[in-house]
């Protein structure tokens, strides 16, 4: 009888989910809400903000384009247009031993790549220990303990988009392929990327098998510069038809015997 790898004793954990804001929107205070978290990759001595700091929005003044931010025990007012920041909302997840996580941002300090997968192997109020899917140069899995405060950019990794799964390899893959989706979402490249992530087996779920067969024949691969040049050259070398007024008129008389 096998033992279930998941624990029912989960712990509440706060993560950061990136807000879908354009670079232009990040320049205006009205784009933010109280409770948002701003990530400052570059610090400033005159403001006292350290490099790679996270500040919480406590006030929004859209008329004057000012944000009031909490930084530890201090409060700072600034104009967002003067800063290069990234905005996040705070959300809560329940983490337990056996949970599968995916990193949503690179962590250079711990040598973790964006979209990398790991499994929680132990959990406490001070440390979360994870086993990463990728193997080390000697063939074993990498194990890494991290503080909960260092795990801002993670989320449950039980499913992902085909784009996010590029480069990942897992034992089993289940693909949800809706054949009614647009050509940009369901095509030959997307389907290949999805099913080729599996080491052992892949299962595809769809609402219409015949429609899916047609959908995955669509090719979204853009032609490269050489292909475009060859196509243009072949077109220029095609024989040209004479204009209609230059062609001899067909005779209406019967041929003479």
């Amino acid at each position: 009888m096998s033992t279930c790898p998941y624990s029912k004793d989960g712990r509440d954990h706060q993560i950061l989910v990136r807000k879908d804001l354009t670079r232009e929107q990040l320049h205006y205070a009205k784009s933010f809400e109280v409770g948002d978290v701003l990530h400052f990759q570059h610090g400033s001595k005159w403001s006292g903000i350290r490099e790679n700091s996270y500040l919480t929005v406590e006030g929004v003044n859209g008329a004057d384009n000012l944000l009031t931010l909490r930084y530890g025990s201090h409060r700072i007012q600034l104009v967002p247009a003067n800063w290069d920041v990234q905005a996040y909302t705070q959300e809560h997840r329940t983490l337990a031993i056996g949970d599968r996580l995916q990193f949503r941002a690179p962590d250079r300090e711990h040598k973790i790549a964006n979209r990398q997968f790991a499994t929680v192997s132990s959990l406490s109020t001070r440390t979360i220990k994870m086993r990463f899917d990728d193997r080390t140069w000697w063939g074993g899995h990498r194990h890494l303990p991290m503080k909960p405060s260092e795990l801002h950019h993670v989320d449950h990794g039980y499913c992902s988009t085909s784009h996010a799964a590029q480069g990942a390899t897992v034992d089993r893959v289940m693909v949800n392929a809706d054949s009614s989706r647009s050509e940009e979402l369901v095509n030959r490249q997307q389907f290949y990327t999805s099913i080729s992530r599996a080491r052992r087996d892949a299962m595809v779920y769809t609402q219409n098998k015949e429609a899916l067969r047609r959908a995955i024949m669509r090719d979204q691969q853009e032609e490269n510069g050489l292909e475009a040049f060859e196509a243009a050259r072949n077109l220029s070398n095609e024989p040209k038809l004479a204009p209609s007024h230059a062609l001899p008129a067909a005779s209406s008389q019967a041929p003479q015997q």
Side-chain angles (χ1 to χ4, degrees), residues 4-7 95-101 118-122 129 158:
C4 177
Y6 302 97
S7 170
L95 301 185
I97 296 175
D99 271 351
R100 186 169 173 79
L101 303 180
T119 302
V120 178
S121 56
S122 67
K129 190 174 182 180
Y158 294 107

Side-chain angles (χ1 to χ4, degrees), residues 187-206:
N187 53 67
R188 182 181 299 177
Q189 286 75 28
Q190 172 271 329
F191 190 74
Y192 171 78
T193 299
S194 299
I195 63 175
S196 61
R197 301 306 94 196
R199 292 190 188 94
R200 298 179 182 176
D201 58 75
M203 299 184 67
V204 179
Y205 296 85
T206 184

Side-chain angles (χ1 to χ4, degrees), residues 73-88:
S73 59
H74 303 284
R75 283 171 175 78
I76 301 172
Q77 279 195 330
L78 54 80
V79 177
N82 298 335
W83 297 84
D84 182 18
V85 299
Q86 190 53 255
Y88 298 88

